Amino acid sequence: MNLLLLEPEDIVAPGRAIVKGRRLTHVQDVHKAEIGHTLRVGELNGLMGEAIITRLQKDVLELDFTLDTEPPSSLPVTVLLALPRPKMLKRTLQTLAAMGVKKIVLMNTYRVEKSFWQSPWLKPEAVREQLILGLEQARDTVLPEVILEKRFKPFVEDRLPEMSQGMRKLVAHPKTDELCPSDINVPTVLAIGPEGGFIPYEVERLVEYGFECVHLGPRILRVETAVPVLLSRLFH
Amino acid sequence: MNLLLLEPEDIVAPGRAIVKGRRLTHVQDVHKAEIGHTLRVGELNGLMGEAIITRLQKDVLELDFTLDTEPPSSLPVTVLLALPRPKMLKRTLQTLAAMGVKKIVLMNTYRVEKSFWQSPWLKPEAVREQLILGLEQARDTVLPEVILEKRFKPFVEDRLPEMSQGMRKLVAHPKTDELCPSDINVPTVLAIGPEGGFIPYEVERLVEYGFECVHLGPRILRVETAVPVLLSRLFH
């Protein structure tokens, strides 16, 4: 936790917050903080700054804070991710949030196992928790938007065209000769398939709607590795 | 497992192998393979090719294989990694192997917790298993070398100069103005610090021995994310 993120309900008066639960435990056990110490803080979806610990007890952390710094800039990308298995989903959500992605679509594809959609890790509060962990790691305050699309075809046909209007559209797909471009730094929609990849029908639909297939070389990477590799290649 | 890696003891005759244990279970349960099916295989530190399943029983998988393809090229990099916590170590070893790193130094630094050196995940067979998982994921056969350096100063003073001779030397360090360069594609030694970073003394020693400090922007990434971000930025 490189930034303590304050939620609206933590702020009890202007410039004063009371924090409990996981963040309190982390400040006590990991930071080993004491009264008078300063912490980096941020307001969820707001500015960042510093706080002084004014009270620290077993069940309460009180802070006086000042916010004066903009959060780091975000990446101009919407990531369409075939829903990964729950363990991978958790880590990938953290990574996406940490790297500055602000719009994430978790979508169904043929090779997504049906059971993945039943995972408790897909509940809004569980998704939000992973995103918060990513923001705390990277020192950012802006919560990404996560959209669930349980049916591939209606999503691609009915909603994707508007969502991707005016943006460059890339799909990571090993069966192409086109190496993923670097430093494009333009608004982009990036589609990443499931374990085993997209099926040809899905790639054809995406290409029909303006997507370019790009590959990352002969190595097959897990989604949690492919995500940082693709993002750091596309955006500097 | 996108490649079944054959170890010397699996090969019972030229072009014939018998596989047991984890790989057998994976082929049965995940690939749901049957007699007559083909699998991608590789010989550890050798060529890759295809195999036909000639026998598949509860406790034995027999394969007839042909090897004719070189493994993918490796990255021209030696990674010096401050020993991460065990869970992170496992995943990071897999990622390093999957991305094609062939020389990894796990080193001590001031902010590496002493207990990390006692982890069972540092035992040679445990390290090897994670590397194999990375190679199987990425379709590579060449096992990386892993060196443990439990004392920072003697390593940097006595062994690093020879190890890094003629190579570009970079240390990922947030407190610098130099953005990590991209597409350098030259032999490189890349040093990555622990949670909390290198201490100034360590950075000074590395700079003294020819390292350039580079940063990755304002976001602080976990080592398992920083590794793919750095490697995909440096090498195309």
Side-chain angles (χ1 to χ4, degrees):
Chain A
M1 188 166 78
N2 295 305
L3 181 83
L4 192 156
L5 260 185
L6 300 172
E7 309 239 4
E9 60 268 29
D10 302 325
I11 300 174
V12 293
R16 172 156 303 173
I18 289 183
V19 171
K20 301 179 177 185
R22 175 185 62 83
R23 291 165 298 162
L24 165 61
T25 310
H26 189 95
V27 167
Q28 283 176 320
D29 296 354
V30 181
H31 294 189
K32 303 196 189 305
E34 293 172 21
I35 291 174
H37 283 194
T38 59
L39 294 174
R40 280 174 192 261
V41 298
E43 187 180 357
L44 192 66
N45 295 318
L47 296 175
M48 312 195 298
E50 286 208 333
I52 295 178
I53 299 178
T54 52
R55 188 151 63 105
L56 182 59
Q57 293 164 345
K58 219 184 91 184
D59 56 351
V60 63
L61 165 65
E62 194 179 76
L63 301 165
D64 279 1
F65 65 85
T66 319
L67 304 176
D68 52 12
T69 312
E70 292 285 340
S73 56
S74 56
L75 296 183
V77 65
T78 297
V79 172
L80 313 184
L81 189 67
L83 182 65
R85 62 180 62 250
K87 239 176 121 168
M88 188 96 61
L89 171 67
K90 283 175 61 178
R91 290 207 292 268
T92 305
L93 286 173
Q94 285 187 33
T95 303
L96 288 164
M99 294 196 68
V101 175
K102 297 304 176 195
K103 191 164 184 176
I104 303 162
V105 178
L106 298 173
M107 66 180 174
N108 195 45
T109 72
Y110 184 78
R111 293 207 179 104
V112 170
E113 281 186 33
K114 284 215 166 30
S115 65
F116 296 174
W117 288 104
Q118 311 307 324
S119 165
W121 294 104
L122 261 188
K123 288 187 180 156
E125 62 274 21
V127 166
R128 190 175 190 278
E129 189 189 352
Q130 300 308 316
L131 299 173
I132 296 270
L133 290 172
L135 296 177
E136 288 179 348
Q137 165 65 42
R139 288 195 187 139
D140 189 358
T141 68
V142 183
L143 197 66
E145 176 190 10
V146 174
I147 299 165
L148 307 190
E149 289 287 356
K150 295 193 186 181
R151 293 170 64 212
F152 180 82
K153 196 159 171 270
F155 165 59
V156 171
E157 291 182 355
D158 302 340
R159 288 179 290 283
L160 185 54
E162 194 181 349
M163 186 186 279
S164 62
Q165 207 167 22
M167 297 168 84
R168 186 153 178 190
K169 298 179 255 303
L170 303 175
V171 49
H173 187 57
K175 286 168 195 148
T176 171
D177 293 333
E178 216 50 54
L179 186 65
C180 180
S182 59
D183 304 347
I184 63 172
N185 297 320
V186 294
T188 300
V189 180
L190 173 64
I192 302 173
E195 281 181 61
F198 290 108
I199 61 171
Y201 166 84
E202 290 159 349
V203 175
E204 284 161 23
R205 284 295 77 69
L206 289 169
V207 168
E208 186 185 324
Y209 283 95
F211 278 72
E212 309 160 55
C213 292
V214 297
H215 75 82
L216 280 176
R219 296 173 180 277
I220 302 173
L221 302 174
R222 289 180 301 183
V223 63
E224 64 190 286
T225 310
V227 162
V229 163
L230 283 160
L231 293 176
S232 80
R233 193 175 160 98
L234 291 171
F235 307 104
H236 277 183
Chain B
M1 188 167 76
N2 296 306
L3 182 81
L4 191 156
L5 261 185
L6 299 172
E7 309 239 4
E9 61 269 29
D10 301 325
I11 300 175
V12 295
R16 173 157 302 174
I18 289 183
V19 171
K20 301 180 179 186
R22 176 185 61 82
R23 292 164 298 162
L24 165 61
T25 309
H26 190 96
V27 166
Q28 283 176 319
D29 295 355
V30 180
H31 293 191
K32 305 199 189 300
E34 293 172 20
I35 291 175
H37 283 192
T38 60
L39 294 173
R40 280 174 191 262
V41 298
E43 188 179 356
L44 192 65
N45 296 317
L47 297 176
M48 312 195 296
E50 286 209 332
I52 296 178
I53 299 179
T54 53
R55 190 149 64 102
L56 183 58
Q57 292 164 344
K58 218 184 93 186
D59 56 351
V60 62
L61 165 66
E62 195 179 75
L63 301 164
D64 279 1
F65 64 85
T66 317
L67 304 176
D68 51 12
T69 311
E70 292 286 342
S73 55
S74 55
L75 295 184
V77 65
T78 296
V79 172
L80 313 183
L81 189 68
L83 183 64
R85 61 180 64 248
K87 239 175 120 168
M88 188 96 61
L89 171 67
K90 284 175 61 179
R91 289 207 292 268
T92 306
L93 286 173
Q94 285 187 34
T95 302
L96 288 163
M99 293 197 68
V101 175
K102 297 304 177 194
K103 192 164 184 176
I104 302 161
V105 179
L106 298 173
M107 65 180 176
N108 195 45
T109 71
Y110 184 78
R111 293 207 179 105
V112 170
E113 282 185 31
K114 283 212 166 36
S115 65
F116 296 174
W117 289 103
Q118 312 307 324
S119 166
W121 293 105
L122 262 189
K123 288 189 179 154
E125 62 274 20
V127 167
R128 191 175 189 277
E129 189 188 352
Q130 301 308 316
L131 298 173
I132 296 271
L133 290 173
L135 296 178
E136 288 179 346
Q137 164 67 42
R139 288 196 188 138
D140 189 358
T141 69
V142 183
L143 198 65
E145 177 189 9
V146 175
I147 299 164
L148 306 189
E149 289 287 357
K150 295 192 186 182
R151 292 172 64 212
F152 180 82
K153 195 159 170 269
F155 165 60
V156 171
E157 290 182 355
D158 303 340
R159 289 180 289 284
L160 186 55
E162 193 181 348
M163 187 186 278
S164 60
Q165 207 167 21
M167 297 167 84
R168 186 152 180 189
K169 297 178 258 301
L170 303 175
V171 49
H173 187 58
K175 286 169 195 147
T176 172
D177 293 332
E178 215 52 54
L179 187 64
C180 180
S182 59
D183 303 346
I184 64 172
N185 297 319
V186 295
T188 301
V189 180
L190 173 64
I192 302 172
E195 280 179 61
F198 290 109
I199 60 170
Y201 168 84
E202 291 160 347
V203 174
E204 283 160 23
R205 285 293 79 67
L206 290 169
V207 169
E208 187 185 321
Y209 284 95
F211 278 72
E212 310 160 53
C213 293
V214 297
H215 75 81
L216 280 175
R219 296 173 180 277
I220 302 173
L221 302 175
R222 290 181 301 183
V223 63
E224 65 190 286
T225 309
V227 162
V229 162
L230 283 159
L231 293 177
S232 81
R233 193 174 160 97
L234 290 170
F235 307 104
H236 278 183

